[in-house]
Amino acid sequence: MHLVKTKHTQLTTPEAIICILLYRKWSSRIVQSAAEQKQQIIMSHLEPEAKIFACSQSVYLAEKIAEQYGIPLGKVTMSTYSDGEFQPSYEESIRGLRVFIVCSTFPTADNLMELLLMIDAAKRASARHITAVMPYFGWARQDRKDKPRVPIGAKLVANLLDAAGATRVMTMDLHADQIQGFFEKPVDHLFASTIFLPYVESLGLENLTIASPDMGGSKRAYAYSKFLESDVVICYKQRKAANVIDTMELIGEVKGRNVVLVDDMIDTGGTLAKAADLMIEKGALSVRAICTHAILSGGAYEKIENSKLSELIVTDSIPLKRHSDKIRVVSCAPLFAEVMHMVHHNNSISGKFIM
């Protein structure tokens, strides 16, 4: 009893009280620190770090996207064998991270193959989320069997992306909206109208008319005309073969109007050049064209420069092969960067769809 009393007496000394207070304060800090660490672990599990990488032919766009996003572009090296075989390699850890791989799959098929290899490499490197960012989705024109004994290329590409390990796909202005249904994974289908419409409004054109160069693009043209509160006309064309137009007729009135043609892509430029010439013949004051994806193959540049088009507005989803005074490029990098940021933080992206 005497020993206990002595201890009790010692606990009442000023030095002992100070020690107790310091111990309690130190203990509370340990508990708080442990709680903060637990919270950080939970947050890192719910919201992993994001990194952006690019295939070799899309670095020009990925650099702009990364700059807009606010992070540096990730490091990837490409080893190429003498026979042309190549192998990508991530030069930094991506374990447990959200990985965005930027790659427009325009021909050649090397771009698609490189994307598939990078997705597979990310999967095997234990990335938690792998998003294939495809500003231009190649092979989208093969969305159905339009004649016997032909493939459905868009569905094949969807299967390949899924097999490689992509957990999400982000693209812009698909040639056919229903291609989204080929995927079992989430697809963020962005519209270039988000960046094109402000530009058209900035032109301040009077007597504006929106036009579709073919029947397939009529839905897109009507959407633009509804937003801009303008008239709409449609070109009806018949082809002899792929990229070869036989006849073209105009449905609607363009006399005394400033016309803006709207399409998802421009390949050889034959359709737009012929449509512009036809509309000027019918009395249009001016003809411009908006095309999301500037494929511009064959003699497209010559056709555009020799046509009645005042201006061709495109995005940088595909790099231009050469300069043209008639072609104006509006970057899609800010749109993709903002949507990627929203996806990473699990925010709604519906506000980015103007139409």
Side-chain angles (χ1 to χ4, degrees):
M1 292 297 291
H2 179 72
L3 182 62
V4 172
K5 185 176 181 181
T6 302
K7 285 185 177 181
H8 180 73
T9 303
Q10 288 175 350
L11 289 175
T12 59
T13 62
E15 294 82 359
I17 293 174
I18 292 173
C19 289
I20 291 171
L21 292 174
L22 289 173
Y23 173 76
R24 287 178 178 176
K25 185 175 182 181
W26 177 71
S27 299
S28 64
R29 284 183 178 180
I30 291 177
V31 173
Q32 184 179 4
S33 178
E36 289 176 353
Q37 289 179 2
K38 184 179 179 181
Q39 183 68 18
Q40 289 175 358
I41 292 172
I42 293 173
M43 291 304 296
S44 65
H45 178 74
L46 295 176
E47 193 174 278
E49 183 185 353
K51 288 190 176 183
I52 301 174
F53 297 91
C55 294
S56 55
Q57 297 298 314
S58 295
V59 171
Y60 74 98
L61 178 57
E63 288 177 340
K64 290 186 279 187
I65 293 175
E67 182 181 357
Q68 291 287 330
Y69 194 100
I71 59 177
L73 186 64
K75 297 178 181 179
V76 179
T77 59
M78 189 68 62
S79 301
T80 304
Y81 297 91
S82 60
D83 65 347
E85 179 183 339
F86 51 85
Q87 181 186 54
S89 173
Y90 293 95
E91 297 303 308
E92 53 192 277
S93 176
I94 55 175
R95 182 178 296 274
L97 306 185
R98 183 187 293 276
V99 173
F100 293 101
I101 306 173
V102 181
C103 183
S104 283
T105 53
F106 52 89
T108 65
D110 284 357
N111 290 320
L112 175 59
M113 189 64 193
E114 186 178 344
L115 173 61
L116 295 173
L117 289 172
M118 289 188 66
I119 292 171
D120 185 72
K123 177 182 66 177
R124 298 179 190 280
S126 301
R128 182 173 297 169
H129 304 289
I130 306 171
T131 301
V133 181
M134 307 168 68
Y136 172 68
F137 188 95
W139 284 267
R141 285 176 282 190
Q142 300 179 39
D143 61 322
R144 66 192 185 284
K145 287 186 67 174
D146 56 353
K147 63 180 181 179
R149 298 176 296 280
V150 296
I152 303 179
K155 172 60 176 173
L156 176 60
V157 172
N159 290 343
L160 291 170
L161 290 168
D162 185 61
T167 59
R168 191 181 200 96
V169 173
M170 188 180 296
T171 187
M172 179 174 63
D173 277 2
L174 287 167
H175 189 63
D177 291 348
Q178 62 267 24
I179 291 175
Q180 298 172 75
F182 291 164
F183 292 89
E184 298 301 325
K185 300 293 192 297
V187 177
D188 298 314
H189 183 208
L190 310 183
F191 297 147
S193 57
T194 307
I195 53 181
F196 281 147
L197 284 171
Y199 177 77
V200 174
E201 289 180 318
S202 70
L203 296 175
L205 297 174
E206 297 181 355
N207 299 321
L208 177 64
T209 293
I210 300 297
S212 172
D214 52 37
M215 300 297 291
S218 58
K219 180 182 177 181
R220 183 180 293 105
Y222 276 114
Y224 271 80
S225 67
K226 182 178 179 180
F227 183 89
L228 295 168
E229 299 180 348
S230 65
D231 295 335
V232 62
V233 297
I234 299 173
C235 295
Y236 174 73
K237 66 181 180 183
Q238 290 183 326
R239 293 186 183 274
K240 289 182 180 180
N243 300 125
V244 181
I245 300 172
D246 185 13
T247 60
M248 178 179 286
E249 299 292 337
L250 191 61
I251 303 174
E253 181 60 49
V254 296
K255 186 175 182 179
R257 314 288 297 183
N258 289 298
V259 181
V260 176
L261 284 155
V262 180
D263 209 352
D264 66 304
M265 65 174 67
I266 174 171
D267 191 351
T268 63
T271 297
L272 287 180
K274 192 173 184 66
D277 294 346
L278 177 62
M279 290 174 180
I280 292 297
E281 290 177 8
K282 297 290 185 178
L285 297 178
S286 67
V287 181
R288 289 173 173 80
I290 289 175
C291 295
T292 306
H293 308 297
I295 301 172
L296 297 174
S297 63
Y301 285 91
E302 289 74 15
K303 290 177 184 176
I304 295 301
E305 289 167 358
N306 296 328
S307 71
K308 302 295 184 181
L309 278 172
S310 302
E311 187 179 29
L312 171 63
I313 306 102
V314 300
T315 73
D316 50 358
S317 63
I318 299 175
L320 295 181
K321 299 178 181 69
R322 65 181 234 197
H323 172 76
S324 174
D325 291 334
K326 281 193 175 184
I327 299 177
R328 178 181 177 83
V329 179
V330 182
S331 181
C332 60
L335 173 62
F336 274 97
E338 189 168 356
V339 173
M340 287 160 61
H341 192 273
M342 290 176 172
V343 167
H344 177 53
H345 294 284
N346 299 311
N347 295 326
S348 173
I349 66 172
S350 59
K352 303 309 298 179
F353 299 100
I354 291 182
M355 59 177 208

